[in-house]
Amino acid sequence: MRAEGIEVLALTAGEPDFTPPRAAEEAGIAAIREGRGKYTPASGTQTLREAICEHIQQDIGLSYAPSEIVVTNGAKIGIAQALLALVQAGDEVVIPTPSWTSYPEIVGIADATPVLVPCGPDHLPRVADLEAARTPRTRVLLLNTPSNPTGVVYPEATLRELGEWALAHDIVVLSDEIYAALTFDGAVHRSPLAVVPGLRETSVWIGGMSKAYAMTGWRMGFLAAPEPLAKKIGALQSQLAGSPCAISQEASVAALREGAAEREAMRAAFESRSQLVVEGLRAIPGLECAMPQGAFYAFPSLGAYLGKTEPTTGRRIDSGDDLAELLLELDRVSFIGGGAFGKPDAFRLSFAASEEVLREALRRIAARLATLS
Ligand SMILES: Cc1ncc(COP(=O)(O)O)c(C=O)c1O
């Protein structure tokens, strides 16, 4: 539609509508001008790996040495490479749902089997459900806090239970904490690797520059793992992708060391938008939406609107995907139906858009839902 010149209010983006910290841009430009766009060590420069260790220590409370860090071309390929190093054909990877759309696909690429386990109504995984899904082939538990798409931040008690369960059954936790810096409303991000003694020695921590520093296109992720595993993942990366982008690595050092104020300004903006969006959604009778505690998404359930019909088109709304199609076609508002995340009766609204766009989109959603019967 956009390509045809039709204006759409897009609440689909998985990337911040902000610019990277100024220091990152300057460092990137300097690296280009001064001719440092060369290959680097395959697991990333020593300087960046040191900056990442400082960052993980300060923000997450975990101690790693630079030799335990692999800088990757975005967190996504970091997750894929970690899985390639960890699983063999037929191994199972447990993914609590709703979850980020890419997880099951990436697990499949690693030749393993994704085992989707629905969370409880609070969007938190329950150990009893994980235990019911466990088999002798269960190798990895993929966790994501703060969560895309639900915005839930796992409480420490949940992390402890999940981590202890994983440790007791020799299951590696792949902990995707890419939204760690973006929490709201007093919610505190904790890593299962910091909460459960011993888990750091078996597991993989995933982070990156895309979300917290608005550097999606710079393709910078990083992971931390015990040295033998980090070496194995680094060796894989060296053959698959080679070294990560030299320019982005210099920019990332500057962002991590000098970008705190801009990161905080962005977090605060997302926090205030989260209030605006959830208040708007909760004002719509019959729609249910938990307050996100982190990331930048709201994930309402259709509630009373399931099974209703839009009178002018005669279309029935049986899922969040149906609603997404309807709103795009009739109201020029786009968002993502919950099917992609493993919860078809929900839909995801990204608040990586201006308050003006968010207000108008909410107005159109409310008006359209009011016509369903
Ligand atoms: C939960 C989660 N993990 C990882 C990523 C990947 O980020 P990157 O841009 O670093 O590959 C995303 C991006 O949408 C995400 O939502």
Side-chain angles (χ1 to χ4, degrees):
M1 278 186 181
R2 279 183 154 169
E4 293 161 22
I6 300 169
E7 206 187 311
V8 173
L9 303 182
L11 308 189
T12 48
E15 63 181 343
D17 54 326
F18 289 83
T19 51
R22 182 82 189 169
E25 295 181 342
E26 298 298 342
I29 291 165
I32 293 170
R33 293 246 160 88
E34 291 159 22
R36 291 194 298 277
K38 308 281 189 192
Y39 291 139
T40 74
S43 292
T45 63
Q46 179 72 13
T47 314
L48 177 54
R49 284 186 284 146
E50 282 168 7
I52 291 166
C53 290
E54 290 159 20
H55 161 75
I56 300 177
Q57 177 73 64
Q58 194 176 319
D59 282 21
I60 314 291
L62 283 166
S63 270
Y64 284 99
S67 56
E68 296 175 301
I69 304 293
V70 182
V71 180
T72 57
N73 297 280
K76 184 184 262 188
I77 191 73
I79 295 166
Q81 289 173 165
L83 284 169
L84 285 169
L86 285 166
V87 298
Q88 295 183 341
D91 282 348
E92 293 170 5
V93 176
V94 175
I95 306 171
T97 61
S99 74
W100 182 39
T101 48
S102 290
Y103 291 145
E105 304 294 330
I106 299 174
V107 169
I109 288 168
D111 222 8
T113 306
V115 177
L116 308 183
V117 177
C119 289
D122 54 4
H123 291 146
L124 293 171
R126 295 173 292 209
V127 166
D129 297 336
L130 301 182
E131 181 58 20
R134 185 171 66 84
T135 75
R137 298 304 302 262
T138 307
R139 179 88 178 101
V140 176
L141 169 64
L142 229 168
L143 296 180
N144 173 217
T145 179
S147 156
N148 171 12
T150 66
V152 75
V153 170
Y154 289 22
E156 191 167 327
T158 304
L159 292 170
R160 180 166 296 112
E161 274 186 68
L162 296 172
E164 284 174 355
W165 172 80
L167 208 52
H169 299 292
D170 275 338
I171 294 168
V172 173
V173 173
L174 202 55
S175 190
D176 180 353
E177 300 176 29
I178 194 160
Y179 294 97
L182 301 175
T183 55
F184 318 131
D185 234 7
V188 177
H189 169 78
R190 296 282 279 138
S191 171
L193 278 53
V195 168
V196 178
L199 199 60
R200 178 214 174 285
E201 315 313 323
T202 63
S203 292
V204 183
W205 184 90
I206 303 277
M209 304 304 293
S210 286
K211 314 294 179 175
Y213 295 92
M215 290 174 67
T216 45
W218 297 68
R219 306 311 301 132
M220 275 284 101
F222 33 84
L223 60 83
E227 192 170 322
L229 181 55
K231 280 216 155 70
K232 193 171 172 193
I233 297 170
L236 265 168
Q237 169 156 299
S238 151
Q239 295 309 332
L240 288 172
S243 60
C245 173
I247 308 301
S248 298
Q249 290 191 70
E250 292 209 22
S252 298
V253 173
L256 290 172
R257 294 202 166 138
E258 299 165 55
E262 283 138 298
R263 184 179 86 168
E264 171 52 22
M266 186 171 74
R267 188 207 63 76
F270 283 139
E271 180 167 51
S272 102
R273 291 177 193 175
S274 73
Q275 303 279 348
L276 184 158
V277 169
V278 174
E279 275 166 25
L281 290 169
R282 287 183 175 167
I284 302 174
L287 213 60
E288 294 153 20
C289 187
M291 180 59 84
Q293 301 165 296
F296 41 82
Y297 313 103
F299 197 59
S301 290
L302 273 170
Y305 296 97
L306 265 182
K308 290 200 171 178
T309 301
E310 197 286 315
T312 60
T313 57
R315 284 190 8 206
R316 235 177 91 102
I317 303 303
D318 286 321
S319 66
D321 295 75
D322 290 345
L323 186 71
E325 254 180 54
L326 190 77
L327 261 290
L328 180 60
E329 218 172 285
L330 301 188
D331 301 296
R332 307 291 186 245
V333 177
S334 67
F335 49 80
I336 303 183
F341 307 101
K343 195 166 188 305
D345 68 336
F347 57 100
R348 190 192 80 171
L349 302 183
S350 159
F351 31 91
S354 71
E355 294 201 356
E356 192 191 346
V357 166
L358 291 169
R359 277 206 184 86
E360 176 56 17
L362 286 163
R363 192 194 63 74
R364 293 187 199 179
I365 293 170
R368 182 59 57 197
L369 286 174
T371 69
L372 304 188
S373 58

